[in-house]
Amino acid sequence: TIDDFILVFNNYNKIMPLVKNLQATVECGKACHIDTPIVLDVNGSAYWRISAAPVEGFRGYTVWSITDVTMSCESSDLLESNSTFLLDIVNSSTEAFFSLNETGSFIFCNTSFAKMLGTSIAYIVDKDLKDFVVQHGSDPFPVANGSNKLMQSVPSRIIFKNPETGNSYELMIKQIF
């Protein structure tokens, strides 16, 4: 049984409740998995994916799979660490950075950009660029008309306006990529 197999690991007391949760999910007819560190011996541990799935047509039977995912988990941890480091650098920059998705909504801005507008990052993210731009004449952004070619239409100078305070700032826009 899976219970007998888990007993070979040194930290089985921590793993067993997770396995019981998997078993309960399988009993409801759903496949599931967890990624967990499993202590192999005093020299270290590895990350293992423990998967469980019901066997269709055989009520009460479960297919268990245990796979070493150490490399994948370590790579994910490293990527997350590097992303956090890069985000810290961008956020501490005095240059204002922002990123838009294909429809013209902010998906990122740094602290300098938010301070320049006199508001918070949380207020800006998910809002549309056109909500912050002082418009002269017709809409300069074809996104409002359904086009996905936003950055081709963004001028090199934009006057941003904080909708909350009414303060305006002229920015030079430099497209990085």
Side-chain angles (χ1 to χ4, degrees):
T1 68
I2 190 69
D3 295 358
D4 296 331
F5 179 77
I6 295 299
L7 289 175
V8 303
F9 298 105
N10 289 342
N11 62 335
Y12 66 87
N13 286 333
K14 291 182 182 177
I15 297 168
M16 195 58 74
L18 301 174
V19 169
K20 295 295 183 191
N21 286 341
L22 291 175
Q23 184 65 48
T25 302
V26 168
E27 287 172 3
C28 294
K30 298 178 183 173
C32 54
H33 74 269
I34 57 165
D35 294 341
T36 184
I38 296 179
V39 177
L40 300 172
D41 55 34
V42 292
N43 295 324
S45 63
Y47 280 89
W48 293 81
R49 172 166 292 151
I50 303 173
S51 303
V55 178
E56 195 171 320
F58 293 90
R59 186 168 174 77
Y61 285 83
T62 304
V63 174
W64 291 93
S65 169
I66 300 178
T67 309
D68 185 347
V69 292
T70 304
M71 294 284 288
S72 175
C73 288
E74 287 174 352
S75 295
S76 294
D77 290 347
L78 181 61
L79 180 61
E80 185 177 327
S81 173
N82 287 342
S83 296
T84 301
F85 178 69
L86 180 60
L87 188 58
D88 288 344
I89 290 172
V90 170
N91 264 330
S92 64
S93 172
T94 56
E95 297 290 325
F97 286 97
F98 66 89
S99 181
L100 306 170
N101 67 14
E102 66 278 353
T103 64
S105 294
F106 286 94
I107 55 174
F108 168 81
C109 73
N110 70 348
T111 306
S112 294
F113 185 75
K115 283 182 181 176
M116 181 201 67
L117 289 181
T119 190
S120 68
I121 292 171
Y123 180 81
I124 296 169
V125 173
D126 293 328
K127 298 264 189 319
D128 288 333
L129 174 64
K130 63 184 177 183
D131 295 337
F132 290 90
V133 176
V134 175
Q135 309 259 335
H136 298 287
S138 65
D139 186 358
F141 305 107
V143 166
N145 301 325
S147 171
N148 285 334
K149 297 183 179 180
L150 174 71
M151 287 314 294
Q152 294 174 2
S153 68
V154 174
S156 61
R157 298 172 83 92
I158 295 179
I159 299 175
F160 280 89
K161 177 180 165 186
N162 180 331
E164 294 177 305
T165 66
N167 295 335
S168 297
Y169 305 90
E170 184 174 4
L171 286 181
M172 296 290 294
I173 303 296
K174 183 175 183 181
Q175 190 172 344
I176 296 175
F177 55 88

